[in-house]
């Protein structure tokens, strides 16, 4: 699999790594487990935000509550395979990790099933990790059975399950609804699996659609949940396991209520749009419109919600999450009769990717991974049995994660370790997993340096970076981006992460990166952008307006007393929350990739020699 | 007869001029020029202002014949001549002469004090622990740095060699004897050193109307480097060095300024002694008239000459 | 310090520190009142004594509030006033058309006619000085009151229709200026950078949103560079203007200036004359001050445990980044600031 020159290339990279990096090879074995652990940890920390634990499920593990409660809502890039162990430790307590280690011998699907079913228990932080293997297996079997039944009957059962899982996640991650949801779903585990007739289900759906129509804004969510609560009591579930006992009602009710805030720059009124960005505003996206989609795999649906809710942020994290979900899709995929595996899977995956794109415009890393996967599909041998093909694809996904993200991070870090010397003052912006990894390595090598973290509203991702660096004992300073001119004279180097590298040499990164590079250039401080090659894109762009992503303008409103509080009522006032901006190549001294340290203008060269990357 | 007197006058002029400079090493050639002109004013008798003017100009021409920094001589001479012919009422010649002598003496006193004033102004900009880059040897800069070190400030100075001759070494010696840390560097190492210094401080042989300066060869490169590395470029110059010249580029600078007299015939083979630094590369000028931006220089000159 | 502060001065310092009096305009007004009170009081006999008192109080104010240069500026204006009135009444020195003894210049060097210094002896008693001073002070007061209006009046000259204007934070001059522009021009789009952590840009946006026919966009500070490519003009206020034409402005103004320079967008700074200060950047040990770091990151957050957090209040903007100053006297280039300073203040008063 894969082109031979790719393997040559990796050989070179790994050879370099062998010389430079001392990380134990045993880490590779654990990578999959670590990935899962990390995902678990992410879910746990997300759940950990919920204060109530109303379920009866016993918990012997000390929940990850303390760590995850203090953790931020944004779970930034967690998954880098070789660094996953360390990251897992920082984001969760040891409890979860132990749990994962227990399952070491488990077959791949099982841990994933664990991961998937975790959010099924709402409001229960500690009980999450308590799943026994049998329970998981039972859940999985039931799910599979249900899926089969669904496919056979073409009933809405699967929808139920999907919705349950999906919107349960959504329910969990919507802030401020903890109490209501917890109580409403408290009834979930106690309900038994009962056959649901189509008519009943349809009635329930009608009720929910009525509820959804009412739920326009946040404030009305509780009301709709009240309605849904009543509806749910009468609802019957086919699933056998507690997590699967989802109510359509809370799910559906919650989805419309969270859709206004989850999806893009979507305001109830049509004013409050910035004309400059009209091309970026899509039609009002209502999550429930497509969340009902029968053909979307639950893991993809959940991922979509995670993307939309900003639970999973960061280029690498999104890519890894996508690939895990994709692997699950592949494993659960059943070729329809008289169709070829490769082509039908291709169509199915395309459908899933479209779904994700609707939830949140695809990250460049995700898009590239998808392209690679598609490429892989076309090269599948046709004579092998399906299980073997699935294994091949699974293996490809694992290799992709391992090489493009894990090993690339190591290579980049080894390049940079030569540049970081004693007495250095590194300046960084926002939170980048790669930069964190590099700093960690440098600290391990006992280099005496300190870091200045620049942060910006409204997301304040820099606080997460600060927290992580603090764990390693790296002395840090912290300022907001307007004070970057104040701290820049002290800095000796600027290290920036990137979302993508465009083909004309421009760097696409979080809003504010270009400003930091600008001030650094004015002070003659070298700017290093660290970017793995899987983030290279063939797009050309010269400014940040022609293509960008707009996120929720309400994030700019600070609190109730803020002057912008009722900006929707004023047609002239619009807050604007841009996600990305473009840094011109003259402001960047060097781009560090796993291939080499390049000048910013050499991106097309890499695209040329590595034709299979960067779409 | 007049010719002979002229010759002897000329001879006297340049000899007196050189004699003044020999006596006091620390004297600027511009001030020496003014002293010479004052001496002529005292010694000679003039019938009319016109003759006085002509004599002055001839004396300046004679001084230019000596091979010393012509820019300062020219500007000082210009200034002196200007002030002589300025707002003189229709008084008797003798009265005029007395007035002019008086003025001249005041003028001279003020100018002699100018270096002190400039050094005083520059103190605020020299902070503890700063690193200064300077070009070759400038007495004004030397005075400013010594004053700063007397104020108990500790700093480090990088001195460039300044081309041919050992002016750089002389500067280093003077600084070391005053107890200041310094390093002698090659002229070509200016770019290398620039990122580690805090600011650049140079003297000037003349300040031209555009606000730029004429200084020892290598100053232009230093100005270019400083601007590129975003370091301030400060010029310390006395006010009598303000000249009415307006060079557009290096070539536009008159040859007499750039080459010594004996090489004027064969300029293609010789390297110039001075170069022109445009005002865009200069941050501030420290003069006895105050701390000026380059655009203020033109203002001063306009006020004087118009 | 040997000088004793007057009661009013102490009260003013207290009021400023506590935040009861804020904004350059109010501080200037109050300081002017103090000096007016001093002039009206009986405690001085001649010009010299008066100048001593003024200088002493000014030194106290400067020591207490090193960043508030408007107090020193007003003091310098008053000192110049005293000199002028004294000379006028004395009619001793023949003055030249423009500067008189105001500034050193080559011209002056060359044209001195007498050997004695021009230094006027201010310790001679002079009748009618008090009245003359109070009269002139009235003019200064009027100028101060109308400074805001005079700045706004120029809005029409600098803004055309359908412009996209960027501004930072909340400056009263900018607010009035933009309000005037909105009234007179169509289809303006104003992008306000919120200027964290105080986010005073929100106040400006809310205030401007009451006007008709304007589109307001509020952006976080991080998006300044991203939006700059579309901006036609940048209009900012400043805390004070330095002698070389540079600014001491709200933190974030340096980034705005750099981004504007990158995209060749003109930067217009609204600065009434009382903000012009003859100090240079280096001379101020206390150029910048840091504010409360609580707004930047919570004290009790896990992330902030061992980190050093800064929240500086001011930024230095070098004169190369500024295109135009608009003051109550009209528009000036940054390279002309030195001239304005010579007209406003006497060279001997530069060091109080």
């Amino acid at each position: 699999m894969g082109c031979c020159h790719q393997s040559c290339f990796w050989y070179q990279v790994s050879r370099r790594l062998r010389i430079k990096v001392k990380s134990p090879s045993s880490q590779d074995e654990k990578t999959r487990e670590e990935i899962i652990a990390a995902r678990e940890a992410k879910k746990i920390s997300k759940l950990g935000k919920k204060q109530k634990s109303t379920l009866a499920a016993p918990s012997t593990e000390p929940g990850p509550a303390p760590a995850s409660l203090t953790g931020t809502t944004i779970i930034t890039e967690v998954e880098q395979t070789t660094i996953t162990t360390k990251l897992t430790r920082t984001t969760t307590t040891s409890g979860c990790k132990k749990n994962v280690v227990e399952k070491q011998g488990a077959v791949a699907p099982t841990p994933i099933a664990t991961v998937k079913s975790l959010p099924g228990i709402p409001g229960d932080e500690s009980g999450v990790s308590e799943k026994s293997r049998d329970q998981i297996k039972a859940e999985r079997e039931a799910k599979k059975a249900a899926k089969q039944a669904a496919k056979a009957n073409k009933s809405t059962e699967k929808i139920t399950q999907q919705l349950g899982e999906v919107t349960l996640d959504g329910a969990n991650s919507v802030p401020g609804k903890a109490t209501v949801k917890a109580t409403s779903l408290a009834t979930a585990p106690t309900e038994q699996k009962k056959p649901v007739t189509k008519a009943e289900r349809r009635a329930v759906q009608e009720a929910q659609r009525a509820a959804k129509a009412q739920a326009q804004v946040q404030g009305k969510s509780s009301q709709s949940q009240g309605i849904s609560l009543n509806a749910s009591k009468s609802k019957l579930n086919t699933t056998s396991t507690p997590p699967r006992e989802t109510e359509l009602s809370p799910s559906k009710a919650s989805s419309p209520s969270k859709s206004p805030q989850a999806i893009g720059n979507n305001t109830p009124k049509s004013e409050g749009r910035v004309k400059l960005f009209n091309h970026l505003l899509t039609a009002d996206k209502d999550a429930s419109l497509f969340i009902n989609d029968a053909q979307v795999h639950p893991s993809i649906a959940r991922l979509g919600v995670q993307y939309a809710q900003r639970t999973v942020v960061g280029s690498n994290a999104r890519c890894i999450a996508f690939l895990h979900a994709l692997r699950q899709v592949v494993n659960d995929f059943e070729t329809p009769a008289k169709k070829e595996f490769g082509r039908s899977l291709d169509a199915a995956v395309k459908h899933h990717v479209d779904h994700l794109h609707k939830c949140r415009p695809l990250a460049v890393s995700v898009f590239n991974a998808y392209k690679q996967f598609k490429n892989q599909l076309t090269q599948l041998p046709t004579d092998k049995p399906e299980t073997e093909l699935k294994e091949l694809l699974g293996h490809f996904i694992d290799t992709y994660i391992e090489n493009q993200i894990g090993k690339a991070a190591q290579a980049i870090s080894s390049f940079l370790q030569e540049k970081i010397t004693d007495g250095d003052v590194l300046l960084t912006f926002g939170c980048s997993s790669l930069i964190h990894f590099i700093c960690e390595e440098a600290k391990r090598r006992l280099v005496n340096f300190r870091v200045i973290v620049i942060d910006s509203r409204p997301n304040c991702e820099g606080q997460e970076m600060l927290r992580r660096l603090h764990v390693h004992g790296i002395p840090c300073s912290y300022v907001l981006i307007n004070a970057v001119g104040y701290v820049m004279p002290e800095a000796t180097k600027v290290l920036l992460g990137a979302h993508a590298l465009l083909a004309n040499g421009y760097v696409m990164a979080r809003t504010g990166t270009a400003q930091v590079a600008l001030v650094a250039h004015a002070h003659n401080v070298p700017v290093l952008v660290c970017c793995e090659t899987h983030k290279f894109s063939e797009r050309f762009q010269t400014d940040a307006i022609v293509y960008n992503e707009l996120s929720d303008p309400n994030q700019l409103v600070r609190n109730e007393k803020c002057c912008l509080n009722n900006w929707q009522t004023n047609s002239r006032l619009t807050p604007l929350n841009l996600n990305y901006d473009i840094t011109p190549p003259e402001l960047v001294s060097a781009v560090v990739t796993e291939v080499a340290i390049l000048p910013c203008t050499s991106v097309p060269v890499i695209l040329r020699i590595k034709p299979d990357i960067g779409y | 007869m007049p010719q002979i007197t002229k010759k002897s006058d000329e001879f006297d002029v340049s000899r007196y001029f050189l004699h003044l400079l020999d006596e006091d090493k620390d004297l600027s050639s511009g001030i020496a020029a003014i002293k010479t002109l004052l001496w002529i004013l005292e010694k000679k008798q003039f019938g009319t202002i016109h003759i006085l003017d002509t004599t002055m100009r001839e004396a300046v021409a004679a001084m230019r014949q000596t091979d010393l920094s012509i820019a300062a001589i020219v500007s000082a001479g210009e200034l002196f001549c200007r002030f002589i012919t300025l707002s003189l009422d229709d008084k008797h010649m003798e009265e005029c002469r007395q007035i002019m002598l008086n003025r001249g003496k005041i003028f001279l006193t003020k100018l002699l004090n100018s270096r002190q004033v400039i050094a005083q102004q520059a103190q605020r900009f020299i902070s503890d622990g700063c690193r200064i880059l300077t070009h070759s040897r400038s007495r004004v800069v030397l005075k400013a740095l010594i004053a700063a070190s007397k104020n108990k400030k500790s700093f480090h100075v990088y001195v460039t060699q300044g081309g041919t001759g050992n002016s750089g070494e002389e500067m280093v010696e003077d600084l070391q004897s005053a107890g200041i840390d310094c390093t002698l560097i090659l002229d070509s190492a200016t770019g290398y050193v620039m990122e580690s210094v805090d600011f650049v401080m140079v003297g000037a042989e003349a300040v031209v109307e555009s606000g730029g300066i004429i200084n020892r060869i290598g100053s232009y490169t230093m100005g270019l480097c400083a601007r590129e590395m975003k370091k301030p470029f400060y010029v310390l110059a006395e006010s009598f060095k303000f000249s009415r010249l307006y060079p557009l580029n290096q070539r536009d600078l008159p040859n007499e300024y750039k080459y010594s007299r004996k090489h004027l015939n064969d300029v293609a083979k010789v390297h110039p002694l001075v170069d022109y630094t445009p005002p865009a590369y200069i941050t501030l000028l420290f003069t006895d008239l105050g701390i000026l931006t380059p655009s203020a220089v033109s203002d001063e000159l306009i006020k004087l000459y118009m | 310090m040997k000088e004793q502060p007057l009661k009013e001065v102490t009260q003013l310092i207290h009021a400023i520190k506590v935040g009861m009096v804020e904004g350059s305009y109010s501080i200037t007004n109050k300081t002017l009142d103090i000096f007016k009170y001093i002039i009206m009081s009986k405690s001085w006999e001649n010009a010299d004594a008066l100048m001593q008192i003024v200088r002493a109080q000014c030194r106290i104010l400067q020591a207490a509030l090193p960043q508030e240069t408007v107090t020193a500026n007003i003091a310098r204006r008053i000192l110049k006033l005293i000199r002028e009135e004294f000379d006028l009444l004395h009619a001793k020195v023949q003055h030249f058309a423009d500067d008189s003894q105001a500034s050193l210049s080559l011209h002056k060097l060359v044209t001195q006619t007498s050997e004695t210094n021009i230094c006027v002896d201010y310790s001679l008693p002079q009748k009618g000085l008090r009245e003359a001073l109070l009269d002139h002070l009235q003019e200064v007061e009027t100028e101060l009151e109308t400074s805001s209006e005079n700045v706004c009046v120029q809005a029409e000259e600098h803004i055309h229709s359908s412009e996209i204007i960027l501004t930072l934070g909340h400056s009263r001059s900018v607010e009035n200026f933009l309000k005037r522009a909105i009234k007179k021009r169509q289809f303006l789009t104003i992008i306000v950078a919120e200027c964290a952590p105080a986010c005073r840009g929100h106040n400006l946006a809310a205030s401007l949103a009451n006007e008709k026919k304007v589109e307001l966009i509020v952006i976080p500070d991080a998006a300044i560079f991203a939006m700059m490519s579309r901006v036609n003009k940048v209009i900012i206020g400043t805390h004070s203007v330095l002698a070389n034409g540079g600014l001491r402005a709200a933190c974030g103004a340096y980034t705005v200036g750099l981004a504007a320079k990158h995209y060749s967008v003109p930067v217009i700074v609204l600065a009434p004359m009382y903000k012009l200060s003859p100090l240079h950047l280096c001379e101020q040990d206390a150029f910048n001050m840091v504010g409360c770091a609580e707004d930047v990151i919570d004290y009790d957050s896990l992330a902030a445990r061992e980190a050093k957090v800064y929240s500086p209040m001011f930024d230095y903007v070098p004169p190369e980044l500024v295109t135009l100053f608009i003051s109550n006297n009209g528009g000036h280039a940054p390279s002309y600031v030195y001239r304005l300073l010579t007209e406003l203040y006497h060279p001997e008063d530069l060091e109080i």
Side-chain angles (χ1 to χ4, degrees), chain A residues 478-554:
Chain A
Y478 178 89
V479 285
L480 288 180
I481 197 169
N482 59 340
V484 69
Y486 182 73
V487 290
M488 192 57 77
E490 303 168 7
T492 54
K493 287 182 189 56
V494 174
L495 292 181
L496 300 171
H499 175 87
L501 226 61
L502 304 178
N504 56 348
Y506 282 66
V507 178
M508 179 170 170
R510 180 71 69 218
T511 317
T513 313
Q515 258 170 254
V516 174
L518 184 69
V519 178
H521 184 78
H523 287 259
N524 280 317
V525 178
V527 175
L528 296 163
V529 173
C530 305
C531 182
E532 301 94 329
T533 50
H534 77 99
K535 290 183 192 164
F536 282 21
S537 160
E538 271 183 357
R539 233 181 30 228
F540 291 76
Q541 208 176 318
T542 50
D543 64 48
I545 298 179
V546 69
Y547 178 81
N548 208 323
E549 192 184 322
L550 296 174
S551 38
D552 188 8
N554 283 316

Side-chain angles (χ1 to χ4, degrees), chain A residues 160-327:
Chain A
T160 312
Q161 292 158 25
Q162 291 171 12
L163 277 170
E165 312 217 322
V166 167
T167 55
L168 220 50
D169 290 349
N172 290 341
S173 43
V174 168
K177 293 199 183 61
T179 47
V180 179
K181 289 264 171 48
T183 46
S184 69
L185 295 162
T187 55
T190 57
E191 286 197 14
Q192 294 302 312
K193 195 164 61 163
K194 289 169 205 157
V196 187
T197 62
K198 272 192 195 172
E200 268 180 316
R201 218 171 289 114
R202 238 177 255 136
V204 167
Q205 276 181 7
E206 288 308 316
Q208 284 132 29
R209 278 200 195 106
K212 185 182 62 173
Q214 289 180 27
Q216 284 278 332
V217 274
Q218 280 186 26
K220 295 191 182 129
S221 60
S222 46
Q223 185 188 4
S224 56
Q225 295 214 357
I227 298 171
S228 55
L229 199 53
N230 298 331
S232 73
K233 292 241 163 62
S234 56
K235 188 200 163 293
L236 307 166
N237 239 323
T238 51
T239 59
S240 58
T241 58
R244 225 55 63 53
E245 274 151 10
T246 54
E247 273 94 12
L248 269 173
S249 26
S251 57
K252 273 225 164 178
S254 55
S255 53
S257 55
K258 72 176 186 289
S259 61
Q261 62 193 86
I263 313 297
N265 193 15
N266 173 18
T267 59
K269 304 191 171 77
S270 60
E271 309 105 340
R273 289 185 174 198
V274 179
K275 290 202 202 66
L276 274 180
F277 291 95
N278 269 343
H279 61 287
L280 292 178
L281 298 173
T282 54
D284 285 355
K285 287 187 281 192
D286 201 354
S288 61
L289 282 178
F290 54 90
I291 218 151
N292 262 335
D293 197 335
Q295 285 159 1
V296 175
H297 190 276
S299 56
I300 293 284
R302 177 173 47 238
L303 184 64
V305 173
Q306 282 174 338
Y307 276 175
Q309 299 267 316
R310 303 292 167 123
T311 320
V312 177
V313 278
S315 203
N316 279 337
R318 283 164 74 178
C319 186
I320 293 177
F322 169 71
L323 287 171
H324 283 310
L326 194 62
R327 191 197 358 237

Side-chain angles (χ1 to χ4, degrees), chain A residues 274-275 457 463 466 470 476-478 482-483 486 511-512 514-515 518 543 545 556 558 562-563 570 572 574-576, chain C residues 194 196-197 202-203 209 211 214-218 220-222 224-225 230 251-252 255 296 303 306-310:
Chain A
V274 179
K275 290 202 202 66
R457 284 193 75 234
Q463 294 186 5
L466 196 63
H470 166 51
C476 300
S477 308
Y478 178 89
N482 59 340
Y486 182 73
T511 317
Q515 258 170 254
L518 184 69
D543 64 48
I545 298 179
L556 283 182
R558 278 193 303 168
C562 177
C563 305
N570 192 331
R572 290 177 278 277
T574 320
L576 183 66
Chain C
E194 61 183 13
H202 293 182
N203 301 358
E211 304 286 320
V214 65
E215 190 190 337
L216 285 166
I217 304 173
V218 178
D221 297 333
I224 289 175
F225 188 82
R230 293 292 171 272
C251 198
T255 316
V296 174
E306 306 249 335
K308 296 196 180 76
V309 181
Y310 303 104

Side-chain angles (χ1 to χ4, degrees), chain A residues 70 463 466-467 470, chain C residues 297-306:
Chain A
T70 50
Q463 294 186 5
L466 196 63
R467 203 177 54 77
H470 166 51
Chain C
I297 194 172
D298 291 329
Y299 284 140
D300 53 359
S301 78
L302 190 64
R305 272 208 195 139
E306 306 249 335

Side-chain angles (χ1 to χ4, degrees), chain A residues 15-222:
Chain A
R15 204 163 50 117
R16 190 184 164 85
L17 289 175
R18 245 175 270 137
I19 298 169
K20 292 262 159 91
V21 178
K22 295 181 205 158
S23 57
S25 55
S26 62
Q27 269 199 359
D28 299 335
E29 297 167 45
K30 281 195 190 165
T31 52
R32 199 172 292 164
E33 262 62 57
E34 304 314 329
I35 299 163
I36 294 144
R39 274 209 93 202
E40 236 178 297
K42 227 173 31 194
K43 304 290 185 309
I44 290 161
S45 53
K46 192 175 35 112
L47 283 171
K49 284 188 54 65
K50 305 223 2 143
Q51 306 289 334
K52 299 272 161 93
S53 160
T54 55
L55 293 181
S59 62
T60 55
E61 301 265 14
S68 35
L69 274 175
T70 50
T72 54
T73 48
I74 299 165
I75 296 168
T76 49
E77 328 208 37
V78 168
E79 275 92 3
Q80 289 216 354
T81 54
T82 49
I83 59 175
T84 310
T85 33
K86 299 171 194 141
L87 282 166
T88 321
R89 263 186 245 119
T90 60
T91 51
T92 67
T93 61
S94 52
C96 293
K97 193 155 176 284
K98 270 190 247 156
N99 194 31
V100 172
V101 172
E102 273 170 42
K103 297 194 181 66
Q104 222 171 359
V107 179
T110 318
I112 294 173
T114 316
V115 168
K116 202 170 63 130
S117 53
L118 273 176
I121 304 178
D124 175 3
E125 312 117 38
S126 36
V128 162
S129 43
E130 254 303 281
K131 289 233 162 302
S132 70
R133 204 168 288 177
D134 299 330
Q135 217 178 356
I136 295 159
K137 274 210 175 119
E139 284 168 27
R140 207 165 163 268
E141 292 314 308
K143 210 171 62 160
K144 232 187 176 167
K147 230 180 287 174
Q148 304 273 11
K151 280 196 185 128
N153 300 337
K154 294 215 157 90
S155 71
T156 54
E157 252 179 64
K158 192 165 172 215
I159 299 167
T160 312
Q161 292 158 25
Q162 291 171 12
L163 277 170
E165 312 217 322
V166 167
T167 55
L168 220 50
D169 290 349
N172 290 341
S173 43
V174 168
K177 293 199 183 61
T179 47
V180 179
K181 289 264 171 48
T183 46
S184 69
L185 295 162
T187 55
T190 57
E191 286 197 14
Q192 294 302 312
K193 195 164 61 163
K194 289 169 205 157
V196 187
T197 62
K198 272 192 195 172
E200 268 180 316
R201 218 171 289 114
R202 238 177 255 136
V204 167
Q205 276 181 7
E206 288 308 316
Q208 284 132 29
R209 278 200 195 106
K212 185 182 62 173
Q214 289 180 27
Q216 284 278 332
V217 274
Q218 280 186 26
K220 295 191 182 129
S221 60
S222 46

